[in-house]
Amino acid sequence: MQPIDTPQLASLYRSHIALLKAEFERIFAVAGYDGVVIHSGVAKKRCDVDDQYWPLRVLPHFAEWLPLIQADCALVIEAGGSPKLLRPTTIDFWEAPPIVEYDYFFEQFNVVGIKNRSAMKSEVSAGKRYAFLGEDRSLAAELGLTAINPAEITKPLERYRTRKSPYEIACLDEANRRAAVGHEALAKAFYQADLSELDLHLAFLAGTRQDDPETPYKNIVALGRNCATLHHISYRKTPSLSANGAMTLLVDAGATFQGYGSDITRTWVKGAGAAASSFGAIVSGVEKLQQLLCKRAQVGLAYEDLHNESHHYVAAVLREAGIARLSVDEIVNSGVSRTFFPHGLGHSLGLQVHDVGCAEIAPNSNNPFLRNTSVIGLDQVFTIEPGVYFIEPLLSELRASKIASGIDWKCVEALSPMGGVRIEDDIVMRKGGAENLTRAHLANSVA
Ligand code: GLY
Ligand code: MN
Ligand code: MN
């Protein structure tokens, strides 16, 4: 992996922490607290009757401060001075301490080793009013803290997280660069040989130098009909090939850097025959409309308006492909475009793949799965991910509806084995328009 420029990252981090600290101080003062205690998380058992644990997923409120993946740590943030980082010193001969790729962040904290929970309690000043951010209610009780994740603190913090600092944008950029290596490797592997979904998933992990639990979300790797399953993660272990060798690969996979994740989708087609070439035209159509939507994004626009606009472009692709014989307006107004493109156009991105703060209001009833209902703001990072899919249960409903005669069902049948297409990039909103973090590293989604 080509490392990002460390001194620059460290300097951006210092500014990130200064801003974050000021914002926390402002928020907890307004809410009437003297400080906050933020827990990193607890290791979770796979199931109650087992003695195995899932790899830790650090809680985002903690990860916003530092990229340390360690259970049972806590931050104590108060006005003035450096935040305290409480780290367990327990001797553990079962597992090694976490590896940190860079250590620039430690100097921003007063690091205190703690032997146990009562030692943690002595680091929280008696007589002060703290809010506890975390899931471990028993720890909050032991620390004598009764305000657990109070909305007057978490809501403004979530809003703050919609606008990324230059440090966070640099991390998201690096997460895109790393994922792009994996996407390029998979496209190459797909065109060179017939591999199984599992082989391709493993190749993505190898290409991005990530273990499975490090990925921002479980890789979605689908061949053929499985591309119609929006979150296909039950990888087939044998290669699939249709009769004429036509095949599609949809890869929706990202990489993590310092806690921040990318979320990228590419769809590839290979093989001869009419279905492969018609499907290739749909992929090109989605690629073009996706790029158009990235250009249309601008500060002040309601993201849901962009989503609604995308349905008109998807409708045009459905017409051009010969799937729908209706006008663009009929395709949109009758709900046909939502049969072929049922999910939202995108979502906020950051420490969580579906990041917080951009879905405070519910979408309109015809967009039930839209996860971004914000007005697009400066320094927001979000995805733009239109798609066209052949999803059997949704097609059955359409077949039984009044509008069914407006669909060329032979065409649908011929294309259904190719599953579907999604193209997804991560963008950061600048004054002059969207800056595409993905395309800076991964040129094009059409082979
Ligand atoms: N990878 C999940 C999503 O695109 O939302
Ligand atoms: Mn996404
Ligand atoms: Mn995705």
Side-chain angles (χ1 to χ4, degrees):
M1 278 297 155
Q2 274 295 316
I4 187 168
D5 180 333
T6 322
Q8 193 199 355
L9 190 66
S11 147
L12 290 173
Y13 176 73
R14 283 192 291 276
S15 310
H16 168 76
I17 290 297
L19 287 172
L20 190 60
K21 190 162 187 311
E23 188 62 13
F24 261 70
E25 288 180 10
R26 190 188 67 75
I27 290 171
F28 66 65
V30 168
Y33 294 88
D34 300 310
V36 288
V37 174
I38 312 175
H39 198 222
S40 63
V42 279
K44 289 185 177 150
K45 266 191 174 182
R46 289 183 177 213
C47 70
D48 285 348
V49 293
D50 200 351
D51 64 355
Q52 300 293 304
Y53 291 81
W54 292 112
L56 180 74
R57 210 73 184 178
V58 169
L59 296 171
H61 285 309
F62 185 90
E64 191 179 13
W65 285 86
L66 74 171
L68 178 66
I69 303 174
Q70 185 173 3
D72 298 315
C73 294
L75 290 169
V76 183
I77 321 281
E78 293 172 358
S82 298
K84 254 193 268 184
L85 167 61
L86 312 182
R87 285 187 84 181
T89 52
T90 337
I91 296 167
D92 183 351
F93 46 82
W94 295 104
E95 285 187 33
I99 295 171
V100 289
E101 194 173 345
Y102 300 100
D103 60 4
Y104 58 79
F105 57 87
F106 282 119
E107 67 183 31
Q108 293 298 315
F109 300 91
N110 172 11
V111 183
V112 182
I114 41 148
K115 270 205 254 64
N116 49 37
R117 287 184 165 196
S118 51
M120 196 180 259
K121 183 163 181 167
S122 63
E123 295 298 332
V124 177
S125 316
K128 284 196 177 172
R129 188 165 182 246
Y130 296 92
F132 179 85
L133 303 183
E135 295 176 338
D136 190 345
R137 292 181 162 266
S138 66
L139 172 63
E142 280 177 55
L143 298 178
L145 308 180
T146 50
I148 300 173
N149 303 318
E152 65 270 25
I153 299 245
T154 56
K155 281 290 155 205
L157 285 180
E158 288 180 5
R159 252 166 249 144
Y160 181 70
R161 271 181 44 201
T162 63
R163 210 173 155 172
K164 269 56 183 183
S165 69
Y167 167 75
E168 292 178 295
I169 293 168
C171 290
L172 286 159
D173 181 63
E174 178 65 9
N176 267 270
R177 191 188 68 74
R178 293 181 179 204
V181 177
H183 278 276
E184 272 168 5
L186 255 60
K188 206 164 157 199
F190 172 69
Y191 285 111
Q192 274 174 357
D194 296 323
L195 299 173
S196 69
E197 291 168 345
L198 179 65
D199 291 329
L200 291 158
H201 160 68
L202 295 173
F204 188 87
L205 295 179
T208 53
R209 308 290 301 140
Q210 296 180 100
D211 195 3
D212 199 36
E214 291 176 75
T215 56
Y217 55 96
K218 185 95 185 123
N219 291 341
I220 296 163
V221 182
L223 287 166
R225 275 188 200 277
N226 292 342
C227 302
T229 302
L230 300 179
H231 287 172
H232 179 76
I233 54 166
S234 43
Y235 318 121
R236 300 293 180 268
K237 296 186 178 177
T238 50
S240 2
L241 254 199
S242 69
N244 61 4
M247 187 44 66
T248 36
L249 166 66
L250 185 153
V251 184
D252 180 344
T256 307
F257 181 70
Q258 305 299 81
Y260 293 84
S262 52
D263 180 9
I264 303 173
T265 311
R266 292 292 181 263
T267 309
W268 309 102
V269 196
K270 68 179 177 184
S277 85
S278 304
F279 196 85
I282 296 176
V283 175
S284 301
V286 174
E287 160 75 18
K288 279 200 197 90
L289 76 88
Q290 193 267 359
Q291 288 293 278
L292 180 59
L293 289 162
C294 291
K295 286 205 182 81
R296 300 277 301 152
Q298 56 175 293
V299 172
L301 179 72
Y303 190 90
E304 188 159 10
D305 286 348
L306 195 64
H307 169 90
N308 288 331
E309 187 176 333
S310 74
H311 275 275
H312 289 266
Y313 304 146
V314 165
V317 169
L318 295 173
R319 259 179 71 81
E320 277 156 33
I323 294 167
R325 294 184 279 250
L326 308 158
S327 72
V328 164
D329 282 348
E330 282 171 321
I331 294 171
V332 174
N333 297 337
S334 62
V336 166
S337 63
R338 282 167 169 82
T339 296
F340 291 92
F341 172 34
H343 60 75
L345 180 64
H347 50 83
S348 179
L349 184 73
L351 291 164
Q352 290 165 249
V353 65
H354 297 155
D355 211 3
V356 292
C358 281
E360 291 200 322
I361 54 166
N364 289 315
S365 58
N366 59 346
N367 298 321
F369 303 112
L370 183 61
R371 290 187 170 105
N372 188 349
T373 52
S374 69
V375 172
I376 296 173
L378 206 58
D379 301 330
Q380 276 188 2
V381 175
F382 51 83
T383 67
I384 296 198
E385 48 179 308
V388 169
Y389 313 87
F390 300 90
I391 302 171
E392 193 39 50
L394 300 183
L395 291 171
S396 302
E397 281 176 16
L398 183 58
R399 234 182 248 117
S401 75
K402 283 193 281 203
I403 202 88
S405 59
I407 305 298
D408 183 336
W409 291 103
K410 278 216 172 81
C411 182
V412 168
E413 215 170 285
L415 293 170
S416 289
M418 322 288 283
V421 41
R422 174 162 70 255
I423 311 282
E424 175 175 26
D425 288 342
D426 304 341
I427 69 167
V428 53
M429 210 57 231
R430 305 293 198 189
K431 263 195 207 124
E435 180 187 331
N436 195 316
L437 297 174
T438 306
R439 302 273 166 155
H441 306 288
L442 189 62
N444 204 319
S445 56
V446 176

